[in-house]
């Protein structure tokens, strides 16, 4: 409610309806003098902030201490003292991803020490690279020396040695053929019989692979880093898309509960996601404190929080859907497994889409 004086006129300035009382019954606008003083604007600002803070902390308190309670309150129509679930989701997800992107460094994640010895399987791959190069250049004494060293287990082979041999040779083969250009691929396709040519989708995919070969042939690590950055920055979209899918899983698991509409499952899902965001923020804070004060209990606390996230989902399902313990545990296991598979599939689709578009 504003502290500005009420207008004497009873016509709503927003919709023109006749106002009975201080608020318009049609659009809800307050019937106050439109020209506010600076002091009124300051009071209005602080009133809105404290109103938001009050609702936010009440919502967070009940969200943490009463799993499933907020969702039940919402579908029962008791909503005035809580933040709207969508508004709360937008706010908490924005804070979560702001912290996530500031703390997670994709360049650091892909950086590995290339001066350490490689495992046997990488040594075997290194030997194959050298042997293929020697087939093309049989008189190269340097390659012969490297191959002898690689085959001698007493001789050390490091990641740096492999990187030097792979530089300039980054190439993704297509049907066991390495095309040098799109033009070469098109020419070979034109000379094939019509029934042997690639389809439209496969052509687009193969041309993208050829472009990647050309773009990253001198720096294969850059391809992994760039793809990682694109996938990372699309995580908010992945989680947003997973929301209705998770709600659909709940709808299928509780298909006999006709009193719950899809939107009810959606509200429950949003509250679970909000709790997960807030819990992850606590994990970030705990990890940061551990790095600062060298606290050895950080991993243990984070493990407890991770387990607590699943326990919270079980408690929320039991409270919201009101079923007995055995049924809830069974449905909790089904939801946990199916949602895990769903997230893996979504992540794979996002990686494929990201690789196809970057």
């Amino acid at each position: 409610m504003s502290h500005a004086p009420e207008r004497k006129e009873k016509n709503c300035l927003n919709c023109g309806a006749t106002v009975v009382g201080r608020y318009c019954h049609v659009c809800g606008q307050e019937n106050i003098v439109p020209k506010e003083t600076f002091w009124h604007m300051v009071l209005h600002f602080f009133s809105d902030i404290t109103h938001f803070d009050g609702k936010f902390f009440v919502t967070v308190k009940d969200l943490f201490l009463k799993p499933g309670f907020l969702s039940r309150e919402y579908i029962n129509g008791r909503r005035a003292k809580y933040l709207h679930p969508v508004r709360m989701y937008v706010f908490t997800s924005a804070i979560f991803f702001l912290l996530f992107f500031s703390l997670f460094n994709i360049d650091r994640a892909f950086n590995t020490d290339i001066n350490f010895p490689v495992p046997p399987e990488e040594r075997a791959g290194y030997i194959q690279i050298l042997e293929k190069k020697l087939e093309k250049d049989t008189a190269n004494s340097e390659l012969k020396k490297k191959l002898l060293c690689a085959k001698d287990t007493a001789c050390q082979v490091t990641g740096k040695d492999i990187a030097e041999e792979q530089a300039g040779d980054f190439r993704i083969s297509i049907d066991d053929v390495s095309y040098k250009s799109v033009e070469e691929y098109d020419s070979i396709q034109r000379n094939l019989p019509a029934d042997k040519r690639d389809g439209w989708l496969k052509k687009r995919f193969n041309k993208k692979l050829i472009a990647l070969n050309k773009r990253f042939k001198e720096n294969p690590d850059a391809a992994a880093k760039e793809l990682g950055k694109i996938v990372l920055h699309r995580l908010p979209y992945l989680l947003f898309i997973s929301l209705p899918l998770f709600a659909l899983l709940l709808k299928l698991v509780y298909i006999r509960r006709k009193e719950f509409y899809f939107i009810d499952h959606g509200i429950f899902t949003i509250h679970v996601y909000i709790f997960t965001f807030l819990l992850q923020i606590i994990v970030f804070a705990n990890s940061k404190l551990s790095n600062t004060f060298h606290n050895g209990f950080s991993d243990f606390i984070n493990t407890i929080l991770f387990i607590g996230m699943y326990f919270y989902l079980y408690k929320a399902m039991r409270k919201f859907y009101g079923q007995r313990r055995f049924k809830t545990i069974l449905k909790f296991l089904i939801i946990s497994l199916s949602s895990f598979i769903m997230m893996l599939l979504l992540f794979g689709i996002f990686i494929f889409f990201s690789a196809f578009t970057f």
Side-chain angles (χ1 to χ4, degrees):
M1 178 177 173
S2 173
H3 295 280
E6 187 177 345
R7 293 174 66 240
K8 294 180 180 179
E9 297 82 6
K10 295 301 179 181
N11 62 309
C12 178
L13 293 175
N14 183 57
C15 67
T18 301
V19 180
V20 179
R22 191 176 179 91
Y23 295 91
C24 176
H25 70 284
V26 176
C27 67
Q29 178 167 292
E30 195 173 4
N31 189 33
I32 57 174
V33 175
K35 291 185 179 180
E36 293 183 287
T37 64
F38 176 75
W39 178 244
H40 283 148
M41 291 184 66
V42 171
L43 289 176
H44 191 69
F45 170 76
F46 281 105
S47 176
D48 282 350
I49 292 295
T50 54
H51 183 65
F52 177 84
D53 284 347
K55 281 193 171 186
F56 176 79
F57 290 117
V58 169
T59 305
V60 170
K61 177 179 72 68
D62 286 347
L63 184 73
F64 270 83
L65 300 181
K66 303 175 182 178
F69 173 77
L70 280 182
S71 305
R72 173 62 70 175
E73 288 286 278
Y74 186 89
I75 66 171
N76 288 336
R78 294 187 285 270
R79 310 171 183 178
K81 65 177 181 177
Y82 303 109
L83 277 182
H84 192 278
V86 174
R87 191 178 180 189
M88 187 74 170
Y89 175 87
V90 172
F91 179 74
T92 53
S93 64
I95 298 296
F96 167 77
F97 283 110
L98 182 66
L99 290 173
F100 179 76
F101 290 130
S102 63
L103 293 174
F104 188 85
N105 190 320
I106 191 70
D107 293 321
R108 187 167 60 244
F110 277 90
N111 280 342
T112 55
D113 195 333
I114 61 175
N115 294 313
F116 279 104
V118 298
E121 58 270 16
E122 290 191 29
R123 180 189 283 265
Y126 176 61
I127 290 171
Q128 290 180 358
I129 292 172
L130 294 174
E131 287 176 341
K132 286 181 180 179
K133 288 192 172 185
L134 267 175
E135 288 177 4
K136 299 176 181 178
D137 188 6
T138 55
N140 193 318
S141 58
E142 186 65 26
L143 285 175
K144 291 178 181 179
K145 190 186 298 184
K146 288 181 179 180
L147 183 59
L148 285 173
C149 176
K151 289 183 176 181
D152 183 2
T153 54
C155 184
Q156 190 179 80
V157 176
T158 65
K160 186 177 181 181
D161 297 323
I162 297 176
E164 287 175 354
E165 294 303 321
Q166 287 179 334
D169 288 332
F170 176 75
R171 190 171 297 280
I172 305 170
S173 62
I174 303 165
D175 298 332
D176 297 325
V177 180
S178 292
Y179 299 96
K180 294 180 179 178
S181 65
V182 173
E183 290 75 17
E184 180 187 358
Y185 172 75
D186 285 335
S187 176
I188 292 174
Q189 285 291 307
R190 282 194 297 269
N191 291 327
L192 289 173
D195 59 331
K196 298 290 184 181
R197 295 173 189 171
D198 294 334
W200 177 83
L201 183 60
K202 191 174 182 180
K203 277 185 180 179
R204 284 183 60 84
F205 183 71
N206 288 344
K207 287 180 180 180
K208 186 63 181 180
L209 291 183
I210 295 167
L212 289 176
N213 284 332
K214 188 175 182 180
R215 182 176 173 186
F216 295 106
K217 66 178 181 179
E218 299 297 335
N219 191 2
D221 288 338
K225 284 183 180 180
E226 187 167 341
L227 179 59
K229 287 179 181 178
I230 292 173
V231 172
L232 194 67
H233 284 88
R234 285 178 175 170
L235 280 179
Y237 303 105
L238 185 148
L239 288 177
F240 185 74
I241 290 173
S242 71
L243 260 169
L245 296 178
F246 190 89
L248 179 61
L249 291 177
L250 288 168
K251 177 68 176 175
L252 294 174
V253 169
Y254 290 97
I255 195 165
R256 291 186 178 182
R257 303 293 299 276
K258 303 299 182 182
E259 70 272 25
F260 290 103
Y261 296 97
F262 181 79
I263 189 63
D264 299 329
H265 300 295
I267 293 299
F268 177 82
T269 302
I270 290 173
H271 281 135
V272 170
Y273 273 48
I274 292 170
F275 173 81
T276 305
F277 286 140
L278 293 173
L279 197 69
Q280 288 301 315
I281 291 171
I282 295 172
V283 170
F284 291 158
N286 178 53
S287 300
K288 192 68 176 177
L289 287 172
S290 174
N291 294 334
T292 304
F293 298 104
H294 306 289
N295 182 3
F297 292 103
S298 175
D299 291 340
F300 174 75
I301 293 172
N302 287 343
T303 302
I304 294 298
L305 291 174
F306 179 77
I307 295 171
M309 182 173 64
Y310 282 94
F311 181 72
Y312 179 91
L313 176 59
Y314 158 73
K315 292 292 289 183
M317 288 173 64
R318 187 147 194 266
K319 174 70 176 179
F320 183 69
Y321 294 104
Q323 289 190 325
R324 295 190 177 188
R325 187 174 285 108
F326 178 76
K327 275 190 174 182
T328 304
I329 290 174
L330 182 62
K331 292 182 178 182
F332 162 77
L333 293 174
I334 294 171
I335 286 293
S336 298
L337 179 61
S338 56
S339 62
F340 178 73
I341 295 171
M342 175 196 74
M343 293 303 292
L344 282 181
L345 290 174
L346 272 180
F347 194 69
I349 292 170
F350 265 69
I351 290 177
F352 178 82
F353 181 75
S354 299
F356 196 76
T357 56
F358 89 114

